[in-house]
Amino acid sequence: PLASKAGSAGTTSKPPFPELDFRSGARVEELNKLIQEFTKHDQREYDDQRALEIHTAKDFIFSMLGMVQKLDQKLPVANEYLLLSGGVREGVVDIDLDELNVYARGTDYDMDFTLLVPALKLHDRNQPVTLDMRHSALCHSWLSLRLFDEGTISKWKDCCTIVDHINGATNYFFSPTKVADWFYDSISIVLSEIQKKPQRGMPKVEKVEKNGTIISIILGVGSSRMLYDIVPVVSFKGWPAVAQSWLMENHFWDGKITEEEVISGFYLVPACSYKGKKDNEWRLSFARSEVQLKKCISSSLMQAYQACKAIIIKLLSRPKAISPYHLRSMMLWACDRLPASYLAQEDYAAHFLLGLIDDLQHCLVNKMCPNYFIPQCNMLEHLSEETVMLHARKLSSVRSDPAEHLRTAIEHVKAANRLTLELQRRGSTTSIPSPQSDGGDTNQPDDRLAKKLQQLVTENPGKSISVFINPDDVTRPHFRIDDKFF
């Protein structure tokens, strides 16, 4: 008892020891400060001019797609796009990165977006959607045009692979590679026409490239460069039967958003499995649901995720085996696994970062990363033992010194911002007015719009934007940021 009393007396006289990470010895307080610094540099503030440039680029892209629709009437007349902040390389959709050219923020672009453009829509079904998965790996599907009317079949025949059956019937399977080829050719024709008659204030098309099955466009608007990764997709209302069991489980978003919001629709994106047939196989994407789920993730966990993503994009880029989408899936699983009260702690970003690194290393060592919506689909199944162990060892070095890797990520984002500012300074004397402006007082409505856009960006950092557009009327903006309309 005496020893016990002495011990307790001794402990009360000592100052509290700073909280340390057991593995690396890093001070948790320092890691939190580094994550905050990374977030400060990673989240850019937009002034009125930049907001107007973002709006001008978006208008140009939507007008271009309206012209693509009019070329051969293939695209739906009144289409519904999903505009996501961040390019495909940032993991906003599950598409393989090994076919994509490397673009760097600061060097090639200042802001990046992903635009999902439905080539086909199946929006008239209330029951679970059953897809033809007989020929595909889990989380993938072929798409027969037999689900559509004769008019649709005749329009898209040239973008299909044809399978003749013994009974004489012909089945047309919608081909992601042929659709992407058609889309790239159509966009190229339209951009060529637009550039023949340039209008004052029109964005400069700096790059148009086909990266696998996506089309990447970099626009110069004033002093800004915007990267748009445009992805042709098939859009469905409702929910796929293969993911029906996921709805029966308990999830972190229960009670925060309604099931109707989460299962309002899904997509097929042009990506195939490791052994799949590229010409026929599409990948299921739940990007619309992920926009909703993101609303339920705490800001401290999102900061840790963004910092972790910046570290792994550089570190695990060769060979390409891990994408930021894997990390996003792990974060969603962590939200299901851990108490909401714990994840809501504002000063726990360091704990979350270390946990995400541990989780990713665990996934690699066990070669197991389940898809969040279809858990029976293991997204790392195809990797070799050599590749997963190589990446696990690289992550081990991060886990041994997370502070140093965070400082490197901060330096990279600061360097990118410096390049952007340098370009802005060089271009500040030649800032571009809105396409609707003639340089006089008529641009006042656009100034108001710029202020509104700046407000939206400030109030909704990192959120995704749904845009509803009628190609016959591109004069009016149709924004939806999460559940708010503008």
Side-chain angles (χ1 to χ4, degrees):
L2 284 172
S4 151
K5 280 182 184 176
S8 61
T11 53
T12 52
S13 63
K14 286 182 183 176
F17 203 74
E19 190 181 359
L20 299 180
D21 168 39
F22 186 91
R23 174 70 192 90
S24 65
R27 291 173 64 135
V28 169
E29 184 185 6
E30 184 194 5
L31 293 178
N32 273 327
K33 284 179 180 173
L34 288 170
I35 292 169
Q36 285 169 7
E37 187 181 353
F38 173 82
T39 303
K40 181 182 77 177
H41 294 295
D42 190 48
Q43 291 181 351
R44 285 88 67 206
E45 292 289 322
Y46 299 145
D47 58 14
D48 284 3
Q49 179 65 26
R50 180 59 64 91
L52 184 55
E53 289 165 355
I54 292 170
H55 173 67
T56 301
K58 176 193 69 66
D59 259 7
F60 179 84
I61 292 290
F62 291 159
S63 299
M64 176 199 77
L65 290 170
M67 293 172 72
V68 168
Q69 194 279 331
K70 288 177 180 174
L71 266 185
D72 52 15
Q73 308 294 312
K74 273 187 162 79
L75 293 180
V77 174
N79 217 350
E80 182 182 333
Y81 309 146
L82 186 66
L83 179 62
L84 304 164
S85 51
V88 167
R89 292 157 194 79
E90 292 292 314
V92 295
V93 283
D94 184 16
I95 288 185
D96 310 304
L97 304 182
D98 53 349
E99 292 188 337
L100 307 187
N101 292 340
V102 176
Y103 299 152
R105 182 154 76 85
T107 306
D108 301 296
Y109 64 89
D110 307 309
M111 280 162 288
D112 51 335
F113 304 93
T114 298
L115 188 64
L116 305 189
V117 179
L120 288 175
K121 297 196 298 184
L122 263 177
H123 280 192
D124 55 351
R125 296 183 164 210
N126 292 320
Q127 71 270 31
V129 180
T130 303
L131 296 164
D132 186 354
M133 297 180 164
R134 293 169 298 169
H135 318 281
S136 306
L138 263 170
C139 218
H140 296 79
S141 179
W142 290 22
L143 183 70
S144 168
L145 287 195
R146 279 195 291 202
L147 294 168
F148 298 86
D149 57 67
E150 284 299 323
T152 302
I153 293 171
S154 64
K155 261 197 290 196
W156 284 106
K157 260 184 194 176
D158 56 341
C159 290
C160 291
T161 56
I162 300 168
V163 177
D164 290 317
H165 292 282
I166 301 169
N167 62 8
T170 300
N171 203 347
Y172 295 95
F173 286 103
F174 206 42
S175 168
T177 51
K178 291 186 178 184
V179 170
D181 289 342
W182 164 83
F183 205 29
Y184 175 69
D185 291 343
S186 300
I187 285 174
S188 300
I189 290 167
V190 164
L191 288 177
S192 174
E193 286 301 310
I194 290 173
Q195 287 168 321
K196 283 179 188 172
K197 302 171 187 172
Q199 295 177 2
R200 187 166 183 266
M202 191 174 75
K204 180 188 175 191
V205 180
E206 296 191 354
K207 191 173 286 187
V208 185
E209 286 187 337
K210 187 165 168 289
N211 283 287
T213 51
I214 70 170
I215 293 88
S216 299
I217 299 176
I218 296 179
L219 298 177
V221 191
S223 57
S224 302
R225 295 159 301 167
M226 322 276 180
L227 166 63
Y228 270 85
D229 283 329
I230 302 178
V231 187
V233 299
V234 182
S235 171
F236 294 84
K237 278 282 188 283
W239 199 245
V242 69
Q244 203 67 21
S245 60
W246 177 79
L247 295 174
M248 306 297 112
E249 306 293 333
N250 293 324
H251 296 291
F252 71 98
W253 47 267
D254 292 336
K256 296 175 183 172
I257 50 176
T258 66
E259 188 174 285
E260 286 69 29
E261 288 175 288
V262 174
I263 65 169
S264 62
F266 68 100
Y267 298 99
L268 295 181
V269 296
C272 77
S273 60
Y274 180 62
K275 291 183 178 175
K277 193 173 177 184
K278 280 189 175 184
D279 287 345
N280 283 21
E281 198 170 82
W282 299 77
R283 181 172 296 158
L284 274 77
S285 168
F286 301 90
R288 184 183 289 278
S289 304
E290 287 162 7
V291 169
Q292 299 298 325
L293 300 187
K294 201 172 170 186
K295 292 191 286 188
C296 305
I297 298 175
S298 70
S299 60
S300 49
L301 179 55
M302 280 306 299
Q303 287 174 9
Y305 163 73
Q306 295 292 353
C308 189
K309 184 171 73 168
I311 291 169
I312 69 157
I313 280 178
K314 292 279 189 298
L315 188 76
L316 306 185
S317 60
R318 290 286 183 272
K320 281 196 171 80
I322 294 293
S323 90
Y325 189 82
H326 292 110
L327 189 66
R328 176 188 285 234
S329 302
M330 285 166 24
M331 177 176 64
L332 292 172
W333 281 119
C335 289
D336 273 358
R337 185 177 70 240
L338 296 161
S341 55
Y342 169 73
L343 294 173
Q345 298 295 315
E346 289 185 6
D347 56 349
Y348 273 34
H351 296 282
F352 302 153
L353 172 71
L354 298 172
L356 286 170
I357 297 169
D358 287 342
D359 256 10
L360 187 52
Q361 198 166 14
H362 176 83
C363 287
L364 283 165
V365 168
N366 292 282
K367 214 167 79 168
M368 171 63 74
C369 181
N371 181 284
Y372 181 66
F373 299 92
I374 305 176
Q376 59 270 37
C377 170
N378 175 12
M379 297 190 291
L380 299 184
E381 189 176 31
H382 63 280
L383 296 180
S384 70
E385 297 293 333
E386 183 186 13
T387 298
V388 293
M389 290 314 295
L390 170 68
H391 284 324
R393 281 195 292 272
K394 287 181 181 178
L395 274 179
S396 180
S397 71
V398 177
R399 193 61 186 80
S400 300
D401 195 354
E404 183 57 34
H405 283 85
L406 274 171
R407 290 188 197 100
T408 303
I410 289 166
E411 286 310 309
H412 279 142
V413 75
K414 282 165 78 173
N417 289 342
R418 280 196 298 271
L419 284 168
T420 294
L421 285 170
E422 179 58 34
L423 184 80
Q424 279 182 288
R425 275 197 292 272
R426 288 205 306 261
S428 60
T429 54
T430 57
S431 60
I432 295 180
S434 151
Q436 289 80 25
S437 163
D438 61 1
D441 292 338
T442 52
N443 67 354
Q444 281 182 350
D446 288 317
D447 290 340
R448 285 200 300 275
L449 178 61
K451 284 175 181 156
K452 182 67 176 173
L453 278 167
Q454 184 196 7
Q455 183 187 344
L456 295 186
V457 170
T458 307
E459 290 175 357
N460 303 279
K463 290 193 178 175
S464 300
I465 306 168
S466 242
V467 181
F468 299 85
I469 194 78
N470 180 345
D472 295 319
D473 177 15
V474 292
T475 59
R476 291 180 297 138
H478 309 269
F479 298 102
R480 183 179 72 192
I481 296 185
D482 289 341
D483 53 354
K484 293 184 284 186
F485 285 85
F486 303 92

